[in-house]
Amino acid sequence: MLLRMIGALVDFSGRRPWLVIGLAIATMAGLWGYASRLELRTELRELLPSDSPAFMAYERQAKRVDGGAQLIVIAESPDRGANERFIDALSEQLEEPLRHHAARAACLAACADDACRSACGPASLIRYVETGTKDVRRFFDENKWLYAGVRELEQADEAIELEIALRSGLIDDLDAGEGGGANGAASQGQAAGAPAKKGLSLDDTWAELQRRLKKIDEFPSGYFSTPDGRMVAIRIVSRSAGMGDRSAAQLLDEVTALVGRLEPAKFHPAMQVGYAGDIPNAIAEQKSLVSEAVWATVIALVLILGGVALYYRSPWSLIVIALPTAFGASAGYAFATATYGYVNTVGAFLGAIIVGNGVNYPIVLLSRYRDFRARGMAADEARREAVVNAFRAELVGACVAAIAYGSLTITHFRGFSQFGTIGFVGMLMVWASIVPLVPATLVAIERIQARLPRWLRDPAPRVSDEGTAGPGARLLARVTRRWPVVILAVAPLILILSAWKLPAYVRDPWEYNFARLGSKSSREKGAGSWSLKASEVFGGKMNVAGAMMLADTPEQVPAIKAQILANDAKDPEGKLVADVATIADVLPGSPEEQRQKLEILGRIRDRLTPRVLKSLSPEDRERVQSMRPPESLRVITPHELPDLIRRRFEENNGVVGTVFYVKYKNNVSFSNGKNLLRMANTTGNVVLPDGTHVVTASRPTVFAEMIRSMERDGPLATAASFLAVTFVVVLATGSLMGAFSVLSALVLGVLATAVAMAMLDVKINFLNFIALPITFGIGCEYPFNVFDRARLLGGDVALALKRSAGPVALCSYTTVLGYGSLIFADNQALNSFGWVAVSGEIACVATALLFLPALLHVMSRSGALQRAWRGGLLWRGSHHS
């Protein structure tokens, strides 16, 4: 029944070729149009399992602080004044969207239905704008006395009381001179108006307060600027999470347009304006990935089609190959749009990989058709027999490819599962489309060529008397038949190298250096270079540096801080945490402590009476008066802190104090994955002494979860891929000896790849690990194709190799190009994925064309393969070979 159905579909495609092709093109147009809405998300957390505790905690935290991604605008010119005027002008323009948002909030509060709320207009993309530190300086200057310690104030109060007593003559100054009666005279002299020592002992306290104020506000000009004023910046905090999403891109576009309207050159001819922070960095990374993905796909397609045209000596063959491949790619991306709505970093390059892998199916089918035509078969019969003859190999190839991608879907790691799901659908649709599309395209091309001049037609396919083509295939057949034992000697060598190199390598094969996984050029140009300039402007100043986390309530924060520091102290590899910054660090103490300070400051103020001040010289009187604590001092609450400070500890709902920051030591590298694992152990999901479990999350804990997920899911995907491929091969070959020969070639190729990785110290990361399970599936096609052709030829291994080596090599060539396009990617993780996948592909095709034929020759001579040549269980194929 299946034979009749396939034959009927082939015949229908031959009778109605334009209908089949038209339906395919119309469907593709719709699929590509639908897939154009696909979004690219480049942040590493998009690779994590959506049900990961760290990811879920981070997502909840992101909702509580409403994005918070930064866009820093930097004005650079030799003129400080020009830079400041530009920043002032930009700040004034940015106030408009904030006023709009305030009006929208008022509108929403007055609305009772959705229609009214929709009329309030869109939400502002900006949470707030930080223009400088003027308000911070003013606040701390007005409240500086409260930032002295209680003991410092008590000592100042005691010293002032003592000096007032000395001036009044109530006690003698025992240090005021030498000799018995000098003390009284000294006291008399001071009472007569001699300058008070150190201005009534306030100078030391005053100097300490000024030092603290300078430490708090390291921007004396009130602007975010470098000391020489060459660069002045403004910081825009958005409602975006900074993942390169559309709202972030829209904000950057709006700010860029606003800067353009201000015309920076009017402020200074040499002024340059650049953008730094989470938003432009994410967008730049996204644009780079999109550009690289497009170019990788285009380059792979051009080289693949060029190789196909050269191999077949037929530009018309490109249409036969390209149509089902493009159909599969469009289906894969449309499926991604419908299922996910976006692709992550890994999925961005699936187009090139689907093209490289998927083109194998039409290549095998076209090769069989041309082979039969060259041997004199009629066109309609050749089409039918090519499909039936190749169906078994195509079916097994589709199964193992589906397994390769499908094995990734069983993992929770989205970097694997999303890639596997989309790749599975794309490859499946390429395979499903070849039966109607390839015969229909062949008929359409033949009808077109019949009306063209001879020089525009394809040359007739040619084969030798024994039905083979190409000297390379004949050379391989001759070598593997004459010296099989010599070729098989490579296997023990690879096994010895595996036993020597792999045990140490597999104990810790993971890439922990995150600096090797990002963009190579991001620090040299574009947003990366402006980010370096932003670091020069801010450098940690007025910025709570560290990993942001949230407690459930403000009251939990002190206990969480103490527990994190205690966890850090227990780290056997040493401490990582320098401090934990909380709202308490920017307040002048608890309410009780502040009231105690106010009481002391009141006493100091009461002691500095007009009579005491009158006793000072005019110069000292003016200085002491400026140091006198003002009567306006009061207990400061978190909500009364300046916006620039308060917002860093504030949630969307206005709760202040639940946000805190873990500040790590300067020599701690965030690019070191092992450090991230230690950070996660120290700060993730803190358990307080009373048993309360606080779910905490930060970027280090998210990245640490990614490492753990990769370590857990990587081996799972590889094992699942190999076991499933083994099952399919055993079923398809119909004998254990046949399966052994095919799997031996596959395993040897994978082992050779692993040995090369170990010898070159190529570490496994969250991208290149995908190459291993995929290699089991895609790499299995080649030895099975050679084996199945030998089965169809009754065990004639040499003839099978002569007839199948060319198509197999061409399939490998196209797959290598699909992966090879990633080698030139700027993203280092993708680059390593390309190298590992290409290495695995070359190793597997080499074992398929050399090791497997040599093994089959030896096993055939011993009679071990007699049952395998009689056919497998899945498909007996046609009588033509």
Side-chain angles (χ1 to χ4, degrees), residues 40-44 242-245 252 277-293 343-346 348-349 514-528 531 766-767 825-831:
L40 173 63
R41 298 182 184 177
T42 58
E43 191 162 340
L44 288 179
M243 298 188 301
D245 53 274
L252 180 60
D278 308 319
I279 290 176
N281 283 331
I283 292 174
E285 188 80 11
Q286 182 190 81
K287 287 181 178 178
S288 174
L289 276 174
V290 170
S291 175
E292 288 180 10
V343 290
N344 52 41
T345 305
V346 187
F349 285 82
F514 276 46
R516 297 180 183 175
L517 304 181
S519 170
K520 291 179 286 189
S521 62
S522 62
R523 291 183 173 270
E524 301 170 5
K525 56 186 179 181
S531 293
F766 62 90
L767 282 184
D826 181 58
N827 185 283
Q828 297 175 85
L830 287 168
N831 185 278

Side-chain angles (χ1 to χ4, degrees), residues 9 77 90 226 257 387 403 424 437 443 570 584 692 712 763:
L9 182 57
S77 82
L90 180 60
T226 54
V387 171
I403 287 168
F424 171 80
L437 275 179
V443 173
K570 297 176 184 177
T692 302
R712 179 184 63 251
K763 295 296 186 180

Side-chain angles (χ1 to χ4, degrees), residues 228-248:
D228 58 3
R230 178 175 52 87
M231 290 186 288
V232 181
I234 186 173
R235 184 157 46 191
I236 302 168
V237 180
S238 76
R239 300 183 185 279
S240 165
M243 298 188 301
D245 53 274
R246 292 178 182 176
S247 64

